[in-house]
Amino acid sequence: MIWTRKSLLSIEDLSSEEILIILDKAKKLKEAKDSQTYSLKGKRIINLFMEPSTRTRVAFEIAAKSLGADTISISGEASSLTKGETLKDTAMNVRALGADAIVLRHSSPGSPLFLSKVVDVPIINAGDGSHEHPSQALLDIYTLRERLGNLKGKKITILGDILFSRVARSNLWGLLKLGAIVTLAGPSTLVPLEFQSLGARVTHDPKIALKGADAVMLLRIQHERQKASHFPSLTEYANIFGLDRKMLSEMKENALILHPGPLNRGVEIESVVADSNRAVILEQVANGIAVRMAILHLCITT
Ligand code: CP
């Protein structure tokens, strides 16, 4: 199978074969094989980030530069969107300025899909509201495969604010497509039973969620998307659902700890656990460069 997509909008859209094309290409790029073959020299990539970002924006910038492309980042506050310009007009103007691809982060679910229909260049979804964050899930899955091998039958728990998490949704689609057994866990107000219909196991008991897991992915509470309080206090959340040394000691001996960042130390994860040798959080971040190189090269050269 070959890659035929111009844009990367979601993991839900992708087949398992397409996911593996990206991951295999990322592996070659990480190992610096064929780096000349994968040049994007002369291409111009615009990062349009309408929400804050550290990891995703910087990794896309480094990925583009590593492939020889020019890259320019625009943040929401510094753009003419603040003067009433529409997202469509902004994208069309960026296109007129010579963009060969647009990497978009936006608070509205579906905004990358919308842009892909009105602008004739690849659109890469860098996070759209609570919908999806495909490049994050791909780097998470890359890291899991690097550590655990084939994910078929592996037990992966995602613990935290699932309801408002685009990372959880993208990972759920990707992990299930690769044959992993996925458990979603957290307070009942943040982990609806409806996720079972997508193929996930759902529990509101962290002990059940962590028992036998090969890896746990922790998620922060997405205060910026919540319009109401979903639990009594952060202290209470940390006491019940935060991964501390005691909970870690009850997990499988080699179980991995992942987190997409940004971390809220002392809430979803105890600080010493985040810094322990069981955590692969910074490996995830570093793998994000090769994964995004693969995404950019596949989409721009299709
Ligand atoms: N994981 C993630 O999307 O981090 P940033 O918000 O810093 O890009």
Side-chain angles (χ1 to χ4, degrees):
M1 182 179 182
I2 56 160
W3 183 264
T4 56
R5 291 177 192 273
K6 199 170 85 172
S7 295
L8 180 66
L9 304 174
S10 74
I11 302 292
E12 183 181 1
D13 286 345
L14 301 183
S15 65
S16 56
E17 289 83 6
E18 288 175 305
I19 292 171
L20 292 175
I21 288 174
I22 298 172
L23 300 180
D24 290 347
K25 185 155 185 162
K27 186 167 187 288
K28 284 187 192 159
L29 285 159
K30 185 175 174 183
E31 291 166 359
K33 286 184 201 157
D34 295 336
S35 56
Q36 299 304 314
T37 317
Y38 296 144
S39 171
L40 288 179
K41 203 165 167 43
K43 301 291 183 187
R44 193 169 288 161
I45 298 167
I46 307 295
N47 292 324
L48 209 51
F49 273 62
M50 302 299 138
E51 282 190 325
S53 170
T54 299
R55 282 148 287 269
T56 312
R57 204 198 71 186
V58 174
F60 267 115
E61 282 182 18
I62 294 172
K65 286 182 175 140
S66 301
L67 291 166
D70 285 333
T71 182
I72 296 163
S73 291
I74 306 170
S75 68
E77 312 86 68
S79 77
S80 287
L81 281 156
T82 58
K83 301 180 206 163
E85 187 169 65
T86 64
L87 179 63
K88 176 181 173 182
D89 281 329
T90 300
M92 284 170 46
N93 279 271
V94 162
R95 173 70 181 117
L97 289 166
D100 294 295
I102 297 173
V103 180
L104 177 69
R105 171 168 286 192
H106 200 283
S107 58
S108 294
S111 45
L113 172 65
F114 165 72
L115 274 200
S116 74
K117 291 179 176 171
V118 296
V119 188
D120 66 344
V121 293
I123 304 295
I124 313 298
N125 181 1
D128 59 334
S130 303
H131 175 227
E132 282 228 30
H133 192 347
S135 65
Q136 179 67 47
L138 289 164
L139 73 88
D140 295 336
I141 292 169
Y142 184 97
T143 306
L144 285 167
R145 277 165 49 94
E146 210 170 43
R147 289 296 201 121
L148 300 176
N150 189 328
L151 295 185
K152 197 166 171 49
K154 294 287 187 318
K155 292 181 178 159
I156 314 295
T157 292
I158 308 178
L159 173 60
D161 173 359
I162 308 292
L163 184 60
F164 293 96
S165 174
R166 54 197 178 203
V167 175
R169 279 173 184 73
S170 286
N171 266 290
L172 178 61
W173 289 118
L175 290 166
L176 289 176
K177 283 170 199 263
L178 296 189
I181 298 162
V182 183
T183 300
L184 302 178
S188 56
T189 47
L190 292 174
V191 192
L193 290 170
E194 281 73 16
F195 279 103
Q196 287 174 339
S197 65
L198 302 181
R201 296 177 174 180
V202 170
T203 178
H204 306 119
D205 181 338
K207 280 202 169 128
I208 292 173
L210 297 177
K211 193 173 165 54
D214 295 294
V216 58
M217 183 181 301
L218 300 162
L219 300 175
R220 72 183 174 90
I221 305 297
Q222 318 249 322
H223 297 286
E224 70 274 25
R225 298 190 210 291
Q226 297 184 4
K227 305 243 176 327
S229 180
H230 288 73
F231 47 85
S233 70
L234 281 180
T235 306
E236 194 157 339
Y237 180 89
N239 285 342
I240 299 172
F241 296 102
L243 186 70
D244 58 14
R245 278 164 286 185
K246 184 171 180 307
M247 280 167 90
L248 183 61
S249 70
E250 290 166 14
M251 290 187 71
K252 270 171 83 167
E253 201 178 333
N254 296 321
L256 303 173
I257 302 162
L258 291 89
H259 196 306
L263 298 181
N264 284 171
R265 289 174 184 263
V267 183
E268 71 272 12
I269 188 164
E270 192 183 6
S271 199
V272 289
V273 174
D275 296 331
S276 73
N277 60 9
R278 301 275 287 279
V280 294
I281 299 167
L282 295 177
E283 282 178 39
Q284 292 171 262
V285 175
N287 286 333
I289 296 173
V291 168
R292 288 169 174 126
M293 286 169 79
I295 293 167
L296 290 173
H297 194 269
L298 285 165
C299 290
I300 293 172
T301 58
T302 293

